[in-house]
Amino acid sequence: MPPKFKRHLNDDEVTGSVKSERRNLLEEDSDEEEDFFLRGPSAPRFGPRNDKIRHVQNQVDEVIDVMQENITKVIERGERLDDLQDKSESLSDNATAFSNRAKQLRRQMWWRGCKV
């Protein structure tokens, strides 16, 4: 940096200028947009909107919870239906085997009765 532009500032000059600049900006009449950028959002102006957003977010969270429960119940129901189908197929196979065995036994008993 060239020597003619080099200037050493002390801390008082820097902090004092920042404070005075800010005070001048805040004390002057300014519109709402400038106040927003200097002071940040004010609570009354954005409070109801945030409440609405929070309310909608809570409703969305509730719907998500209900849908997750419904999906879990559907999966459990599907598993129960699969188990029921397996049991009914097994029962049907056992019934067919019982019927076939009963026919064989009846024939055997009929022949035994004929021989006697």
Side-chain angles (χ1 to χ4, degrees), residues 21 30-31 36 43 45 53 56 68 74 77 82 90 95 108:
E21 181 82 21
S30 60
D31 60 354
F36 173 79
R45 182 175 176 190
I53 292 172
V56 170
Q68 287 175 343
V74 166
R77 181 175 179 255
D82 289 342
S90 174
Q108 284 178 355

Side-chain angles (χ1 to χ4, degrees), residues 1 17 28 44 51 58 71 74 76 78 83 86 106-107 111:
M1 187 174 208
S17 65
E28 292 177 9
D51 289 342
N58 288 339
I71 290 172
V74 166
E76 290 173 357
D83 290 343
D86 292 342
R106 188 174 345 154
R107 287 184 189 133
W111 279 111

Side-chain angles (χ1 to χ4, degrees), residues 7-8 16 19 23 29 31-32 34-35 48 51 61 63 66-67 69 77 81 84-86 90 95 97 105 111 113:
R7 180 174 175 217
H8 296 288
K19 288 179 184 177
R23 185 173 46 251
D29 289 334
D31 60 354
E32 289 183 22
E34 288 179 4
D35 289 345
D51 289 342
D61 291 341
V63 169
V66 169
M67 290 305 296
E69 288 176 19
R77 181 175 179 255
L81 287 175
L84 184 60
Q85 185 177 2
D86 292 342
S90 174
L105 185 60
W111 279 111

Side-chain angles (χ1 to χ4, degrees), residues 72-113:
T72 303
K73 288 178 182 178
V74 166
I75 290 172
E76 290 173 357
R77 181 175 179 255
E79 291 173 355
R80 286 194 310 259
L81 287 175
D82 289 342
D83 290 343
L84 184 60
Q85 185 177 2
D86 292 342
K87 288 178 182 179
S88 67
E89 287 174 359
S90 174
L91 185 60
S92 176
D93 293 342
N94 288 338
T96 303
F98 178 79
S99 177
N100 291 339
R101 182 69 180 128
K103 286 179 187 177
Q104 287 177 353
L105 185 60
R106 188 174 345 154
R107 287 184 189 133
Q108 284 178 355
M109 297 317 266
W110 184 79
W111 279 111
R112 197 178 277 176

